[in-house]
Amino acid sequence: YFWGHPYEFIVFDAGLPNVYVVSPDGTKHPLKLSPKAIKDPETGKQRKGFTFAYTPEAIGDSWLVLEAPAIPIEEEGEAVQDYVKQCLHVMAEMGWEARLGLPIELVPLTRPYGLEEGFAFTARAYLNGKPLPDATVEVEKFNGYHPGKLPTDQFGMEDVPMMTRVAKTDANGYVTYTLDEPGWWMVSVSAESGKVSVGGKEYPRVLRGGLWVHVEKPFTVPR
């Protein structure tokens, strides 16, 4: 686990998260984390991260869940708190549409595995158990570090809209977006939620509900 920017693979220090797996029958399995230094290729610095392992034993769809502590974003004058999940599929399609009851959550309406590039992906956002309307949803692909190969605008600056795609949930909390390339995608909804104290300083808190989705290359039948 590292904390940073997926598209550019920029890495920052990560606070100790709470990580667990929810099995198909709803049982929660806490995971043990070990510290792991992760190099930020942009600066060459070693950042604080964590590693863990889990082998699903139940047939069906389990959910890997990570609850991160609030992290201040000084330049934006706020602190963000992430709740991220990923579906672990084993043989039977049971539980991929489950609501886990997180403070903020994207619940897939499109099965979050077995997707090919160009598929439309639909989810519903919830905040404290209620549908979340008119919320910002950011969509980014995980690329790894490729210096000098980021999209640029006509002034030679990084073209941020080409890296972070944005959509809005509708009046009932639904959002649809096309995932047009193979690879790992982060789909994340955000909402303001009170204040939080970090390091003795109080910040407006922004909750983010993230969902990792893997997109496959198209399968073609040999002729």
Side-chain angles (χ1 to χ4, degrees), residues 1 3 13-18 66-74 78-83 193-208:
Y1 161 65
W3 196 86
D13 288 330
L16 179 65
N18 178 36
L66 186 146
E67 302 176 351
I71 298 177
I73 310 296
E74 296 292 350
E78 62 189 23
V80 298
Q81 190 162 10
D82 290 308
Y83 294 83
S193 181
K195 295 183 180 296
V196 63
S197 180
V198 183
K201 184 177 179 180
E202 191 174 70
Y203 298 87
R205 182 175 65 168
V206 176
L207 299 180
R208 299 194 302 194

Side-chain angles (χ1 to χ4, degrees), residues 5 10 14 21 26 34 63 89 99 107-108 116 127 129 163 180 195:
H5 296 290
I10 296 175
V21 171
S34 300
W63 282 97
H89 171 64
R99 286 175 57 183
V107 177
E116 294 181 357
L127 178 66
M163 294 188 289
D180 56 0
K195 295 183 180 296

Side-chain angles (χ1 to χ4, degrees), residues 29-44:
H29 306 275
L31 301 188
K32 181 180 179 180
L33 282 74
S34 300
K36 180 179 177 63
I38 300 176
K39 185 178 180 180
D40 173 24
E42 181 77 8
T43 63

Side-chain angles (χ1 to χ4, degrees), residues 99 101-105 126-131 192-193 205 207:
R99 286 175 57 183
L102 303 176
I104 188 168
E105 184 174 10
Y126 290 87
L127 178 66
N128 298 323
K130 298 181 180 180
E192 295 182 0
S193 181
R205 182 175 65 168
L207 299 180

